[in-house]
Amino acid sequence: GLLVCSKADGFSAFRAAKEFGRMFQTTHGISIEVDGAGLSEVTSHGPELIAGGDIFVDKPISTLVEFPDGSQVAVVHKPQSLWMLREKDDPTRIASIEPDVLMKQVGIGLVVAPNQMALPEDNGGVAILGINGRLADRIDPSDLGVGTGAQALLVDREGALWIAWRSAISRIEYPSRTRVFPLPSALFGQSLPLTRTNLGLTTFHGSTVLTLRQIDHQ
């Protein structure tokens, strides 16, 4: 794996002994899993191990979410558990995850309510998990009429949850109102990111770009 970091005088490249794991964006920067080292912070001088980050050497992190108070919660699958990270404190295990609550492949999650996270499942829906490790709810693709496999999440300025599926994009004012936007055939079945642009919510694959824009009706 190769990590390229920006510096004042250009860029520096850093290679992992074996590979880099998942990368997570937080308010204060970017965290990354480094094989054989643990959870690290990306700096202009390369990855630097966070306090107690070596505890995750044999505990791959599926997702890392940040709460409004600045605390972070890591979702670990071996064993299935939740870990609290606070600045300058070593990570602390706060809960076990109930058996069979989450599928093995879980994408990057988001905070959707106080003490609750939305976690996209590659072969299922979106699990709403409390920091107590219990399943609070699940957004099932069959309820929306979309293909299985939640791929990406985004929360808009109104607090609504957007989900990129394999056949559509949905907007959910959790937990009630829902709108579904089918994808064009050029994007159907692809792995999609979600991002904000000055035009609106955008997803893309290759040379095909889809933007959902709000239209003001006079």
Side-chain angles (χ1 to χ4, degrees):
L2 181 67
L3 178 68
V4 179
C5 301
S6 174
K7 299 177 63 176
D9 56 351
F11 296 91
S12 297
F14 303 88
R15 291 193 177 276
K18 292 184 179 179
E19 61 183 2
F20 292 111
R22 284 193 164 184
M23 184 177 290
F24 309 101
Q25 177 73 56
T26 68
T27 300
H28 301 292
I30 297 174
S31 298
I32 190 171
E33 290 183 293
V34 180
D35 188 63
L39 187 64
S40 303
E41 179 184 3
V42 176
T43 74
S44 59
H45 305 291
E48 296 183 357
L49 193 68
I50 68 168
D54 55 342
I55 201 169
F56 296 110
V57 166
D58 58 350
K59 299 178 179 62
I61 299 174
S62 298
T63 194
L64 181 71
V65 300
E66 185 174 25
F67 285 84
D69 65 358
S71 64
Q72 299 170 7
V73 173
V75 181
V76 170
H77 271 277
K78 294 180 180 179
Q80 286 198 332
S81 53
L82 299 177
W83 293 72
M84 177 70 72
L85 291 80
R86 296 185 185 275
E87 190 176 3
K88 298 180 180 179
D89 290 338
D90 286 353
T92 304
R93 179 170 170 156
I94 57 173
S96 296
I97 299 175
E98 295 181 335
D100 303 322
V101 163
L102 300 176
M103 296 189 177
K104 292 182 180 179
Q105 300 295 321
V106 177
I108 305 301
L110 289 173
V111 174
V112 290
N115 297 327
Q116 290 186 345
M117 304 167 286
L119 304 175
E121 300 171 324
D122 291 348
N123 296 308
V126 175
I128 308 299
L129 188 73
I131 62 171
N132 56 5
R134 297 177 183 175
L135 185 68
D137 197 2
R138 171 171 271 111
I139 300 171
D140 196 291
S142 63
D143 293 339
L144 305 178
V146 298
T148 59
Q151 301 175 49
L153 302 179
L154 184 148
V155 174
D156 64 22
R157 295 180 180 87
E158 290 76 35
L161 176 65
W162 291 84
I163 306 172
W165 307 91
R166 296 190 184 278
S167 62
I169 294 175
S170 64
R171 181 182 190 271
I172 300 175
E173 294 180 21
Y174 180 77
S176 53
R177 298 174 58 186
T178 301
R179 293 188 66 185
V180 177
F181 305 89
L183 293 175
S185 57
L187 289 173
F188 183 88
Q190 306 294 339
S191 294
L192 304 176
L194 283 176
T195 186
R196 293 188 183 94
T197 65
N198 58 352
L199 295 177
L201 183 73
T202 299
T203 189
F204 57 89
H205 182 81
S207 60
T208 302
V209 178
L210 173 68
T211 298
L212 297 174
R213 293 186 294 176
Q214 181 175 343
I215 299 176
D216 295 327
H217 298 282
Q218 300 296 328

